[in-house]
Amino acid sequence: MMKKNNEVPYKIYLEESELPKQWYNIRADMKNKPAPLLNPATLKPMTQEELSVVFCEELVKQEIDDQTAFFDIPEEIIEFYKMYRPAPLVRAYFLEEKLKTPAKIYYKFEGNNTSGSHKLNSAIAQAYYAKKQGLKGVTTETGAGQWGTALSMACSYFDLDCQVYMVKVSYEQKPFRREVMRTYGAQVTPSPSEFTEVGRKILAEHPGTGGSLGCAISEAVEVALGKEGYRYVLGSVLNQVLLHQSVIGLEAKTAMDKYGISPDVIIGCAGGGSNLGGLMAPFIREKLKGEKDYQFIAIEPASCPSITRGVYAYDFCDTGKVCPLSKMYTLGSGFMPSPNHAGGLRYHGMNSVLSQLFEDKLIEARSVGQTEVFEAAELFARVEGTLPAPESAHAIKGAIDEALKCKETGEEKTILFGLTGTGYFDMKAYEKFHNGEMSDYVPTDEELQASFDGIIGYNNPKL
């Protein structure tokens, strides 16, 4: 029996039996498929065999499959999901009241697990397939540390070795996140480091750099290629990750359908694209099929504006240029973002699926400054009771902006956003905000142009 909107509880919980049994692959319903990954040596599409040198075999199949709409979730992964899923859908009544908006605001809360974010949804899947393949361990990168924490938890569960290259600025800003990873058995190295060839090269070219996700990816890939029985895994950007994260949106839609709710606007923070892609998955399916229309908004930091100011071109996924080429909105693999406190959003490019959807004008994107993001985070913490991660606070800022527009127009829109994680390890950032020491650096057009000039697919008609 469907309930009316005025009977919606503060938190909507699903039963364990209502957990999604399949992941949804957005590409299957896209008219314009995202461009394939290219081998940088041949500029031809990467084959399954070539990708399997770096990634787990089953994950490669998921990565390159743009026809299969649904993939069955293995029972072992569903059992693990039950530790922290289904995650609640929350009606932000207190925020609505504070803003005095006629809009109805909902958020999908993904922070109710030790990793502190949505990252565990894909980490457990990738660790499962690595174990199933008989591997000894995996390597990865992490920005703010939430992905590294999630992967260390998943590897511990399956008794796999886990080697994490953590962006140096985040390694220094968030020492306790590092210690959670070590608690779960991971080896954590600040990146760029002197332990890899690519790390030494980056340090020589950029002395004293705080690093970037692109740097850390290069180091992790180099180590995986050099160790027998190891593969590289990634917490965002890749299509397989969006696939696993679709559990977020599938749960949100099931919860909303129970109460006859249909969102008008769906908002997510955007770094590599995993949480936004996961949240919007079942809704974009309806839009692609022409069944319903929704407004999708990606919110990214003004200091690393890959969608709003980037170019759509083939580019390396990493700074060291050892990964395949992906056609995406990018600032250039050599772009070194300022030390923004939203470490998980400091990536130079965007997932190829979301890039294609943005190119086709099916989704929108906005960039916001760091200080205004923390103002939104503090407001949310005070009225809704949850301290958000800086990454999540970008989506909060977007939701507040949309709600205030409704206040001006009188529209009663329904807004859904993703609260991807908690900010309890981000107190250095909150301290800088409260002390008035937070910067709002925005790259100049000249700086971006210099980075664009180094993109292999920029102004290259063959790509």
Side-chain angles (χ1 to χ4, degrees):
M1 183 81 179
M2 290 203 173
K3 297 187 178 182
K4 296 178 181 178
N5 280 343
N6 60 6
E7 297 174 350
V8 173
Y10 181 70
K11 289 182 179 176
I12 302 174
Y13 286 102
L14 300 178
E15 300 291 333
E16 285 182 3
S17 60
E18 295 175 293
L19 268 170
K21 301 298 190 295
Q22 294 178 309
W23 293 305
Y24 168 60
N25 180 11
I26 296 173
R27 291 165 291 162
D29 292 307
M30 291 174 65
K31 181 180 178 181
N32 296 326
K33 308 287 187 185
L37 294 172
L38 297 186
N39 184 320
T42 66
L43 299 184
K44 293 182 179 179
M46 293 287 291
T47 65
Q48 185 171 327
E49 183 179 3
E50 288 172 332
L51 287 170
S52 294
V53 174
V54 181
F55 304 106
C56 300
E57 293 172 4
E58 199 62 35
L59 293 168
V60 169
K61 293 177 184 176
Q62 295 176 359
E63 181 65 31
I64 62 179
D65 189 332
D66 62 6
Q67 301 298 321
T68 305
F70 291 94
F71 286 80
D72 290 338
I73 304 176
E75 191 59 38
E76 294 93 330
I77 296 175
I78 290 177
E79 288 303 309
F80 185 92
Y81 278 167
K82 289 178 182 177
M83 290 188 195
Y84 65 101
R85 307 204 71 84
L89 176 69
V90 186
R91 172 74 179 270
Y93 282 112
F94 302 113
L95 181 60
E96 292 172 14
E97 184 179 352
K98 180 69 175 180
L99 298 176
K100 293 182 169 49
T101 176
K104 300 173 180 64
I105 307 173
Y106 294 83
Y107 59 91
K108 191 73 165 73
F109 182 46
E110 290 290 316
N112 194 25
N113 64 76
T114 302
S115 77
S117 79
H118 68 295
K119 296 291 189 179
L120 199 53
N121 300 329
S122 185
I124 192 61
Q126 296 190 54
Y128 166 80
Y129 289 118
K131 186 68 174 182
K132 187 179 178 184
Q133 191 173 322
L135 299 178
K136 298 175 186 175
V138 294
T139 67
T140 197
E141 80 299 324
T142 194
Q146 291 165 324
W147 166 247
T149 304
L151 187 66
S152 65
M153 292 174 66
C155 286
S156 175
Y157 184 77
F158 284 118
D159 196 26
L160 287 166
D161 182 40
C162 181
Q163 298 191 15
V164 180
Y165 285 81
M166 187 174 185
V167 176
K168 186 178 292 183
V169 65
S170 292
Y171 183 94
E172 294 167 350
Q173 288 174 345
K174 309 177 201 302
F176 297 124
R177 186 98 66 190
R178 177 186 71 217
E179 291 311 310
V180 176
M181 292 183 236
R182 292 176 65 191
T183 298
Y184 282 95
Q187 176 184 321
V188 188
T189 304
S191 174
S193 75
E194 295 284 357
F195 301 111
T196 66
E197 184 178 336
V198 70
R200 291 188 291 272
K201 181 181 177 183
I202 292 168
L203 285 171
E205 293 176 356
H206 303 277
T209 179
S212 70
L213 282 168
C215 297
I217 290 170
S218 297
E219 292 204 88
V221 171
E222 180 182 322
V223 173
L225 290 172
K227 295 186 70 132
E228 185 179 352
Y230 280 72
R231 291 293 187 277
Y232 166 70
V233 297
L234 184 62
S236 189
V237 183
L238 293 180
N239 297 327
Q240 58 186 267
V241 184
L242 256 70
L243 177 73
H244 305 150
Q245 294 296 355
S246 65
V247 296
I248 302 172
L250 291 166
E251 282 187 9
K253 190 169 189 316
T254 298
M256 288 186 137
D257 286 348
K258 279 193 164 191
Y259 289 87
I261 307 163
S262 183
D264 298 296
V265 188
I266 297 163
I267 300 171
C269 61
S274 67
N275 87 87
L276 173 62
L279 177 64
M280 62 189 259
F283 304 100
I284 195 72
R285 182 173 193 242
E286 291 182 329
K287 183 163 183 170
L288 290 168
K289 286 177 167 290
E291 297 170 353
K292 279 190 178 181
D293 193 20
Y294 302 99
Q295 182 183 14
F296 300 97
I297 307 174
I299 309 290
E300 62 181 2
S303 61
C304 194
S306 61
I307 318 178
T308 52
R309 295 179 67 194
V311 294
Y312 191 41
Y314 265 109
D315 190 19
F316 285 95
C317 295
D318 66 311
T319 304
K321 300 182 178 180
V322 297
C323 286
L325 297 171
S326 176
K327 189 170 185 183
M328 56 185 175
Y329 273 88
T330 177
L331 299 171
S333 61
F335 179 76
M336 287 290 174
S338 66
N340 185 299
H341 288 283
L345 305 185
R346 296 176 69 250
Y347 183 65
H348 65 272
M350 179 52 56
N351 165 267
S352 62
V353 170
L354 297 180
S355 292
Q356 184 65 58
L357 292 172
F358 181 73
E359 179 71 4
D360 291 339
K361 297 181 170 48
L362 291 166
I363 65 175
E364 305 169 27
R366 299 172 190 167
S367 65
V368 291
Q370 187 170 214
T371 302
E372 59 184 330
V373 164
F374 274 84
E375 288 171 353
E378 184 175 79
L379 171 64
F380 185 84
R382 290 180 177 182
V383 299
E384 285 291 326
T386 297
L387 184 75
E391 294 81 4
S392 305
H394 286 69
I396 294 171
K397 168 61 177 168
I400 289 174
D401 286 348
E402 287 300 306
L404 291 177
K405 284 181 186 176
C406 290
K407 183 178 179 179
E408 292 177 5
T409 64
E411 293 177 282
E412 295 184 18
K413 287 186 178 180
T414 297
I415 300 167
L416 169 65
F417 74 89
L419 182 57
T420 55
T422 54
Y424 300 106
F425 289 128
D426 299 290
M427 299 318 297
K428 279 288 181 186
Y430 278 93
E431 180 184 37
K432 284 186 175 294
F433 170 68
H434 293 140
N435 291 344
E437 300 169 352
M438 184 164 281
S439 66
D440 279 311
Y441 178 77
V442 178
T444 65
D445 290 341
E446 291 74 21
E447 287 172 320
L448 291 181
Q449 187 59 53
S451 187
F452 295 159
D453 290 339
I455 298 173
I456 187 171
Y458 186 63
N459 286 334
N460 185 337
K462 294 182 180 179
L463 293 175

